[in-house]
Amino acid sequence: MDAVQNIISLMEVPVTEKDRELIEQAYLFAAQAHKEQKRRTGEPYVSHVVAVAENCAKLGMDTETILGALLHDVLEDTSTTPEEIKTIFGENVLFLVEGVTKLGHVKYRGRVRHVESMRKFFVAIAEDIRVLIIKLADRLHNIETLQFVPEEKQKRIALETIEVHASLAGRLGMGKLKGLLEDHAFKYAYPKEHEKTVNIFTERVPRAQEAAQNAENKIVKTLTDFKLESQVDSRVKHTYSLYRKLLKHEWDVEKVYDIVALRVLVTNLPDCYQALGLIHMLWKPIPGRIKDYIALPKHNGYQSLHTTVITEFGIVEIQIRTHEMHEIAEMGIASHFIYKETATSGKRVTKPNWLDQLKELHGVIKNPSKFLEHLHLDLFRDRIFVFTPKGDVIDLPEGACPIDFAYLIHSSIGQQTHAAKVNGKMVALNTKLKNGDIVEIITSKNAKPSSKWLDFAKTTAARKKIRTYITEHGGFIERFFTRNQ
Ligand code: MN
């Protein structure tokens, strides 16, 4: 039972004797059910479900999730019936296994099917986030072993991983999982770009590491002198994330300051700002690169202070946050499962509050087509996700209208917007878009931006382009009107 022992040792939540028995039972059940099957690697199939359970354990998940992970492929691939699972492991575990099985039917066939798959994922999130976490853990193991998959399938799976799974992990704040999924998929999705990025990476990392190490020593000394308790280490950027940044800067690596970044972890929130102050006493920061994601967290809940300083060793990016913020940055929504130290009692307490919210939510959603309207997860607060007819997901602020959507697709589409369809029906251009809407823009060569659009366009990008157009092309009255807004 080495496999079971290993899973349990990776779990970050308390495991009772009863839990241990259930995990053993699920392992034996899966091994029996899959006994005729082998992985492409030649290993027995059960090794895959064990790896998925291990991934879930590392993500801090509870016993039911581990059971769901061990059993996640039995309905799909074996003669096991739902009733058997329910009888032995209970209704909750069956719910998880069925949830993962339904998601399994989603195949990424280019962007056309993207809408459908994203919708299914959102349903899964609304019903029980653990379904999604098992699915992501499953995908991680599949992408880690992608070299064994026939070549013609590799690219499709890799692209799907980046566009669906990694992006969802990112939305849920699971930074570590997102990075792993992307890095494993990168080479298969974009082989040439991967090679180019790896070359830049290999050439740059040693120098960046040396600068970071020297800066680290100096920071540790200063923080200690000022009696600020901290833990400083460095992190090397994920290769896919480096690639995205290089694209943004037209492959000019000189503009990427965080190939190696320093992470300063402190005990509490005031210490974050004090550490930032002390670091700015040591070195001058680059203006415009000080980011306060503590006061203004990212949409996925990420919190940290970022600064880029000019040291005698080179330019170094430094990220400052508390241990708790760090855990959330790495684990995101999964971190809610992990038992946390409380300052007063030193006792460990769990707080999966959002799980209760989700259960309530599940009760509210009777009509599946309405689910997105009821999805009030904090993570998605103030943001909506709409789709192009081809299935691209477009992320917009709440209250955005088809004009915002059109400009986000391309400014030339924005400029020539004539009309819009939402879910197949013609709508007014000032219609507020809702989560899950499929939006189609009808352009016309004769259409041009109108100052009226400024009454309802919500995004800065669209408003700026409308203003610019009117100033450049508009008549006197319209120009006058714009200036006086
Ligand atoms: Mn699987």
Side-chain angles (χ1 to χ4, degrees), residues 296 312 349 353 408:
L296 303 164
E312 57 275 39
V349 289
N353 285 340
L408 219 104

mmCIF file with all atom_site columns, all heavy atoms in Angstrom, residues 296 312 349 353 408:
data_model
loop_
_atom_site.group_PDB
_atom_site.id
_atom_site.type_symbol
_atom_site.label_atom_id
_atom_site.label_alt_id
_atom_site.label_comp_id
_atom_site.label_asym_id
_atom_site.label_entity_id
_atom_site.label_seq_id
_atom_site.pdbx_PDB_ins_code
_atom_site.Cartn_x
_atom_site.Cartn_y
_atom_site.Cartn_z
_atom_site.occupancy
_atom_site.B_iso_or_equiv
_atom_site.pdbx_formal_charge
_atom_site.auth_seq_id
_atom_site.auth_comp_id
_atom_site.auth_asym_id
_atom_site.auth_atom_id
_atom_site.pdbx_PDB_model_num
ATOM 1  N N   . LEU A 1 296 ? -4.934  47.108 -3.784  1.00 0.00 ? 296 LEU A N   1
ATOM 2  C CA  . LEU A 1 296 ? -5.751  46.862 -4.970  1.00 0.00 ? 296 LEU A CA  1
ATOM 3  C C   . LEU A 1 296 ? -5.450  45.475 -5.528  1.00 0.00 ? 296 LEU A C   1
ATOM 4  O O   . LEU A 1 296 ? -4.674  45.315 -6.466  1.00 0.00 ? 296 LEU A O   1
ATOM 5  C CB  . LEU A 1 296 ? -5.439  47.913 -6.057  1.00 0.00 ? 296 LEU A CB  1
ATOM 6  C CG  . LEU A 1 296 ? -5.623  49.378 -5.642  1.00 0.00 ? 296 LEU A CG  1
ATOM 7  C CD1 . LEU A 1 296 ? -4.940  50.309 -6.612  1.00 0.00 ? 296 LEU A CD1 1
ATOM 8  C CD2 . LEU A 1 296 ? -7.103  49.713 -5.513  1.00 0.00 ? 296 LEU A CD2 1
ATOM 9  N N   . GLU A 1 312 ? 23.353  47.880 -7.389  1.00 0.00 ? 312 GLU A N   1
ATOM 10 C CA  . GLU A 1 312 ? 24.722  47.876 -7.934  1.00 0.00 ? 312 GLU A CA  1
ATOM 11 C C   . GLU A 1 312 ? 25.009  46.561 -8.664  1.00 0.00 ? 312 GLU A C   1
ATOM 12 O O   . GLU A 1 312 ? 25.964  46.426 -9.400  1.00 0.00 ? 312 GLU A O   1
ATOM 13 C CB  . GLU A 1 312 ? 25.757  48.136 -6.825  1.00 0.00 ? 312 GLU A CB  1
ATOM 14 C CG  . GLU A 1 312 ? 25.746  47.166 -5.643  1.00 0.00 ? 312 GLU A CG  1
ATOM 15 C CD  . GLU A 1 312 ? 24.726  47.563 -4.559  1.00 0.00 ? 312 GLU A CD  1
ATOM 16 O OE1 . GLU A 1 312 ? 23.616  48.017 -4.895  1.00 0.00 ? 312 GLU A OE1 1
ATOM 17 O OE2 . GLU A 1 312 ? 25.063  47.393 -3.371  1.00 0.00 ? 312 GLU A OE2 1
ATOM 18 N N   . VAL A 1 349 ? -7.504  25.650 12.136  1.00 0.00 ? 349 VAL A N   1
ATOM 19 C CA  . VAL A 1 349 ? -8.924  25.635 11.799  1.00 0.00 ? 349 VAL A CA  1
ATOM 20 C C   . VAL A 1 349 ? -9.093  25.705 10.283  1.00 0.00 ? 349 VAL A C   1
ATOM 21 O O   . VAL A 1 349 ? -8.300  26.318 9.595   1.00 0.00 ? 349 VAL A O   1
ATOM 22 C CB  . VAL A 1 349 ? -9.688  26.828 12.427  1.00 0.00 ? 349 VAL A CB  1
ATOM 23 C CG1 . VAL A 1 349 ? -9.817  26.642 13.920  1.00 0.00 ? 349 VAL A CG1 1
ATOM 24 C CG2 . VAL A 1 349 ? -9.001  28.145 12.115  1.00 0.00 ? 349 VAL A CG2 1
ATOM 25 N N   . ASN A 1 353 ? -15.286 28.605 3.677   1.00 0.00 ? 353 ASN A N   1
ATOM 26 C CA  . ASN A 1 353 ? -16.530 29.372 3.653   1.00 0.00 ? 353 ASN A CA  1
ATOM 27 C C   . ASN A 1 353 ? -17.208 29.369 2.287   1.00 0.00 ? 353 ASN A C   1
ATOM 28 O O   . ASN A 1 353 ? -18.412 29.246 2.174   1.00 0.00 ? 353 ASN A O   1
ATOM 29 C CB  . ASN A 1 353 ? -16.256 30.829 4.013   1.00 0.00 ? 353 ASN A CB  1
ATOM 30 C CG  . ASN A 1 353 ? -16.010 30.979 5.492   1.00 0.00 ? 353 ASN A CG  1
ATOM 31 O OD1 . ASN A 1 353 ? -16.405 30.102 6.269   1.00 0.00 ? 353 ASN A OD1 1
ATOM 32 N ND2 . ASN A 1 353 ? -15.357 32.045 5.879   1.00 0.00 ? 353 ASN A ND2 1
ATOM 33 N N   . LEU A 1 408 ? -12.527 45.660 -28.144 1.00 0.00 ? 408 LEU A N   1
ATOM 34 C CA  . LEU A 1 408 ? -11.604 44.705 -27.569 1.00 0.00 ? 408 LEU A CA  1
ATOM 35 C C   . LEU A 1 408 ? -11.149 43.675 -28.597 1.00 0.00 ? 408 LEU A C   1
ATOM 36 O O   . LEU A 1 408 ? -10.022 43.203 -28.577 1.00 0.00 ? 408 LEU A O   1
ATOM 37 C CB  . LEU A 1 408 ? -12.252 44.005 -26.381 1.00 0.00 ? 408 LEU A CB  1
ATOM 38 C CG  . LEU A 1 408 ? -11.268 43.784 -25.252 1.00 0.00 ? 408 LEU A CG  1
ATOM 39 C CD1 . LEU A 1 408 ? -11.513 44.785 -24.161 1.00 0.00 ? 408 LEU A CD1 1
ATOM 40 C CD2 . LEU A 1 408 ? -11.329 42.377 -24.739 1.00 0.00 ? 408 LEU A CD2 1
#
